[in-house]
């Protein structure tokens, strides 16, 4: 049996191995045919030479990730072990940059390969579609890009919109006027903004119209100049809504369209405007589509498992 000994230098074994060696346990699950022993600042691995070479290569990716981001969590480990690991690390210095210095000094940056691709796509194109399941950071990364553009004076305003489709609930039964009815529906957008802009400044921006959060109906008839515009939940637009929205684009505008084709809440007889747009616009220069998947899920580890479980039954229906 062959042996591989790895010694950690300039890295805290306690942080790298995780609480109760949970990161080492993940390595053991991924390499069940290897015997992995972690003691002190050393890891000893026993097994076939080919597997040891693969382990050594993947371990180098883990240490490089830790050196770059100063943290190692379950999601990043799984991405590095399960995918083409080098892709997780590959990114220009620009796409790996801090997008926004958020509230309480929080550093907000793209955390996965596809999120970094989304950052690059938005930099190089005026219209980008971000397509993927819940929890992959489409909205959050998009809002960070919009806030960055506003702070750097690349645009004069941010416009965030969603189609007001009732996902199994009836807006009419909610109390209050139209704004009060719609505010809870727009909550994910508010939540992202609150992470990135101090409360007083955010309230000021919303009051003076620098940041506008509104349902799609409010877009009709407008020309959106000097704005970073995000359409969220785009899978719930109809043909007419999507066409109307896309043709609102004015001078010096960036459009980001987010959606999950697996969560369409439209009546069955209606075709999703997102699905249609992805087909119709696929060959137009200046428009890029970024696909995110369950490897980009950065919520609780169970979210990824939930997505996988539902994917199984949805493919069978």
């Amino acid at each position: 049996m062959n042996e591989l000994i790895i010694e950690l230098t300039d890295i805290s074994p306690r942080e790298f191995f995780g609480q109760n060696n949970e990161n080492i346990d993940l390595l053991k699950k991924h390499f069940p045919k290897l015997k992995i022993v972690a003691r002190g600042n050393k890891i000893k691995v026993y097994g076939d030479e080919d597997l040891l070479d693969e382990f050594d290569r993947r371990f180098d990716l883990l240490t490089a990730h830790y050196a770059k981001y100063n943290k190692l969590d379950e999601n990043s480990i799984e991405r590095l072990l399960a995918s083409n690991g080098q892709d997780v690390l590959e990114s220009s210095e620009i796409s790996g940059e801090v997008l926004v210095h958020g509230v309480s000094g929080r550093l907000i940056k793209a955390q996965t390969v596809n999120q970094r691709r989304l950052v690059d796509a938005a930099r190089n194109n005026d219209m980008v579609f971000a397509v993927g399941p819940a929890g992959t950071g489409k909205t959050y990364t998009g809002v960070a890009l919009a806030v960055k553009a506003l702070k750097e004076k690349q645009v004069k305003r941010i416009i965030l919109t969603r189609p007001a489709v009732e996902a199994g609930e009836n807006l009419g039964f909610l109390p209050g006027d139209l704004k009060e009815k719609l505010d809870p529906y727009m909550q994910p957008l508010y939540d992202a903004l609150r992470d990135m802009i101090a409360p007083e400044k955010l309230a000021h921006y919303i009051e003076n119209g620098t940041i506008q959060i509104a349902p799609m109906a409010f877009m009709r008839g407008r020309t959106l100049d000097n704005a970073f515009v995000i359409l969220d939940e785009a899978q719930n637009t109809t043909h007419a809504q999507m066409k109307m929205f896309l043709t609102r684009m004015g001078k010096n505008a960036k459009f980001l369209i987010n959606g999950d084709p697996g969560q369409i809440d439209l009546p069955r007889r209606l075709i999703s405007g997102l699905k249609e747009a992805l087909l119709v616009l696929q060959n137009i220069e200046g428009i890029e589509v970024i696909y995110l998947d369950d490897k980009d899920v950065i919520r609780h580890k169970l979210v990824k498992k939930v997505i996988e479980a539902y994917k199984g039954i949805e493919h069978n229906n």
Side-chain angles (χ1 to χ4, degrees):
M1 185 177 286
N2 298 291
E3 179 186 48
L4 171 68
I5 300 176
I6 300 173
E7 185 173 351
L8 295 178
T9 56
D10 301 323
I11 292 177
S12 163
R14 184 177 177 182
E15 292 180 11
F16 188 84
F17 294 166
Q19 189 173 4
N20 298 320
N21 277 4
E22 59 186 5
N23 293 344
I24 299 299
D25 290 340
L26 284 173
L27 283 171
K28 289 178 179 178
K29 285 182 181 178
H30 191 79
F31 292 96
K33 294 183 179 179
L34 294 177
K35 182 180 179 182
I36 302 171
V37 180
R39 287 200 182 97
N41 69 333
K42 291 183 179 180
I43 294 178
K44 293 183 179 181
V45 191
Y46 306 90
D48 292 340
E49 187 173 353
D50 289 346
L51 278 175
L52 289 179
D53 288 343
E54 173 67 8
F55 180 92
D56 195 27
R57 188 174 72 83
R58 296 287 176 173
F59 198 85
D60 283 346
L61 293 174
L62 293 178
T63 55
H65 184 277
Y66 184 87
K68 187 172 184 178
Y69 297 104
N70 203 31
K71 69 173 184 177
L72 198 61
D73 56 29
E74 183 175 353
N75 282 327
S76 58
I77 291 172
E78 288 188 352
R79 288 195 298 271
L80 285 160
L81 295 179
S83 63
N84 177 359
Q86 191 59 42
D87 284 351
V88 179
L89 292 174
E90 75 171 19
S91 65
S92 65
E93 287 303 314
I94 294 176
S95 64
E97 71 184 333
V98 174
L99 297 176
V100 179
H101 288 82
V103 176
S104 303
R106 182 174 183 177
L107 301 182
I108 296 168
K109 60 170 71 177
Q111 297 186 46
T112 71
V113 177
N114 290 324
Q115 287 177 13
R116 291 195 287 274
R117 286 174 179 154
L118 177 55
V119 171
D120 285 335
R123 180 176 292 108
N124 297 323
N125 300 272
D126 288 336
M127 184 177 293
V128 177
F129 287 79
V131 181
T136 50
K138 303 182 300 296
T139 300
Y140 200 81
T141 304
V143 171
L145 287 167
V147 171
K148 174 181 171 63
L150 181 67
K151 286 186 173 182
E152 294 179 353
K153 296 183 169 33
Q154 296 171 14
V155 297
K156 294 182 179 178
R157 54 188 173 154
I158 295 172
I159 299 172
L160 309 172
T161 186
R162 302 175 97 191
V165 172
E166 299 162 6
E169 296 108 15
N170 192 326
L171 293 176
F173 287 101
L174 292 172
D177 59 18
L178 179 61
K179 183 180 184 302
E180 290 169 328
K181 287 176 188 290
L182 286 168
D183 272 357
Y185 188 72
M186 301 292 184
Q187 199 61 47
L189 300 171
Y190 284 113
D191 288 344
L193 286 168
R194 288 189 184 110
D195 275 358
M196 302 174 200
I197 303 175
E200 304 81 11
K201 195 162 192 177
L202 178 57
H204 175 68
Y205 278 155
I206 291 174
E207 186 177 342
N208 69 13
T210 300
I211 294 178
Q212 302 170 28
I213 305 176
M216 281 199 72
F218 285 62
M219 301 296 109
R220 195 171 299 279
R222 302 178 66 182
T223 300
L224 305 177
D225 295 321
N226 301 305
F228 197 115
V229 187
I230 298 176
L231 168 57
D232 208 28
E233 300 290 340
Q235 74 275 4
N236 288 328
T237 59
T238 63
H239 160 86
Q241 286 175 324
M242 179 61 81
K243 183 181 177 184
M244 177 274 291
F245 173 78
L246 296 178
T247 54
R248 299 307 93 201
M249 194 174 203
K251 296 177 182 177
N252 190 38
K254 290 273 190 182
F255 271 39
L256 178 60
I257 299 97
N258 299 331
D260 175 7
Q263 288 190 341
I264 297 173
D265 299 311
L266 292 168
R268 286 185 181 274
R269 68 182 182 276
L270 293 178
I271 298 172
S272 166
L274 174 63
K275 284 189 171 183
E276 184 181 58
L278 292 173
L279 290 172
V280 172
L281 307 176
Q282 60 183 331
N283 295 320
I284 296 182
E285 188 176 349
I287 299 176
E288 188 166 349
V289 180
I290 301 297
Y291 289 95
L292 300 97
D293 56 34
D294 51 10
K295 295 187 188 70
D296 299 294
V297 172
I298 52 176
R299 293 181 183 173
H300 192 284
K301 60 185 179 182
L302 286 177
V303 172
K304 189 181 297 183
K305 295 176 181 177
V306 169
I307 291 171
E308 289 172 354
Y310 273 93
K311 194 185 295 181
I313 64 169
E314 286 164 357
H315 285 172
N316 293 329
N317 288 340

